Amino acid sequence: MKTDALIALLAADAAPVPRHAAARRLTLALGLAVPLSLAVLLVGYGVRRDWADAVQLPMFWLKLLFPLCIALAAGVILQRLARPGVRIGRAWPLLLCVPVALIWALAAVVWMPAAAPERATMLWGISWQICAASILLMAAPVFVAAMVALRSLAPTRPALAGAAAGALAGGVGAAVYAMHCMELAAPFLAVWYVSGIAATALIGAVLGPRLLRW
């Protein structure tokens, strides 16, 4: 068979990819995985006991929103990486870093004038030993679902796509864990929450080339 005939035969049944296919599959993955993360929270941890009082505190909402902003930016980057030839652009990676920079800046503002004993309390809190690991646990369902969705798509940069999937999962996991966590100090969030999200992104970067190969 001649090359031109073979190409024509292979292309005979080709159909255009539906518009927004990547976004739809990733949204479906999130829709299935986030309830699982919430179930892990409710069964294994429970929501914080002072919920009615906590929702009146600005720092509670900051603790909830800054990882969600990371997840949003990572999700946009991920759905672009899932399509060959689509550029990420400069804006979304920058927006991915903005929440981290803001929480670090706030942590520095409250850290610098504090006395040494107060600094220790703000940094370690009462739950630093379990914070990052708990975020990883809450992120696991979202990470698995995102990677499964990516395998049905066409990422050409698997390490970067895996890192974006990890950042998305880590942001969602941190937001879910925030509903249990009693810590409100900005230095604690800047170190341990960011560490949990970064660890998930690093795991994604390592696993991406192995799990997302064509």
Side-chain angles (χ1 to χ4, degrees):
M1 181 179 292
K2 294 183 179 180
T3 303
D4 292 343
L6 177 60
I7 293 174
L9 179 63
L10 292 174
D13 295 326
V17 176
R19 295 187 62 185
H20 310 299
R24 289 175 182 172
R25 292 184 188 182
L26 290 170
T27 300
L28 176 61
L30 280 175
L32 295 173
V34 171
L36 291 177
S37 295
L38 290 170
V40 172
L41 171 75
L42 294 175
V43 173
Y45 292 76
V47 297
R48 53 186 297 164
R49 296 180 299 275
D50 61 342
W51 180 264
D53 296 326
V55 296
Q56 301 180 40
L57 302 174
M59 277 303 298
F60 172 81
W61 291 106
L62 178 63
K63 180 174 68 171
L64 190 67
L65 290 174
F66 100 83
L68 285 178
C69 290
I70 293 174
L72 175 62
V76 174
I77 293 171
L78 184 60
Q79 63 93 12
R80 294 189 177 193
L81 287 169
R83 296 175 289 161
V86 177
R87 297 181 60 186
I88 299 175
R90 297 180 180 179
W92 288 106
L94 178 62
L95 290 175
L96 182 65
C97 298
V98 167
V100 177
L102 290 177
I103 198 66
W104 281 350
L106 179 59
V109 168
V110 300
W111 175 269
M112 295 304 294
E118 295 175 337
R119 286 182 174 183
T121 301
M122 287 189 293
L123 176 60
W124 304 109
I126 60 174
S127 61
W128 68 271
Q129 301 98 325
I130 66 168
C131 181
S134 297
I135 289 172
L136 283 168
L137 179 61
M138 306 294 170
V142 177
F143 180 73
V144 171
M147 295 297 281
V148 170
L150 280 176
R151 285 178 62 86
S152 69
L153 297 167
T156 56
R157 288 170 283 181
L160 196 55
L168 167 63
V172 173
V176 171
Y177 178 65
M179 292 186 284
H180 163 81
C181 178
M182 301 295 290
E183 312 288 355
L184 291 175
F188 184 95
L189 305 179
V191 173
W192 303 110
Y193 271 57
V194 172
S195 294
I197 298 170
T200 314
L202 179 60
I203 291 171
V206 172
L207 294 181
R210 301 179 184 181
L211 299 180
L212 301 177
R213 288 183 299 179
W214 289 17

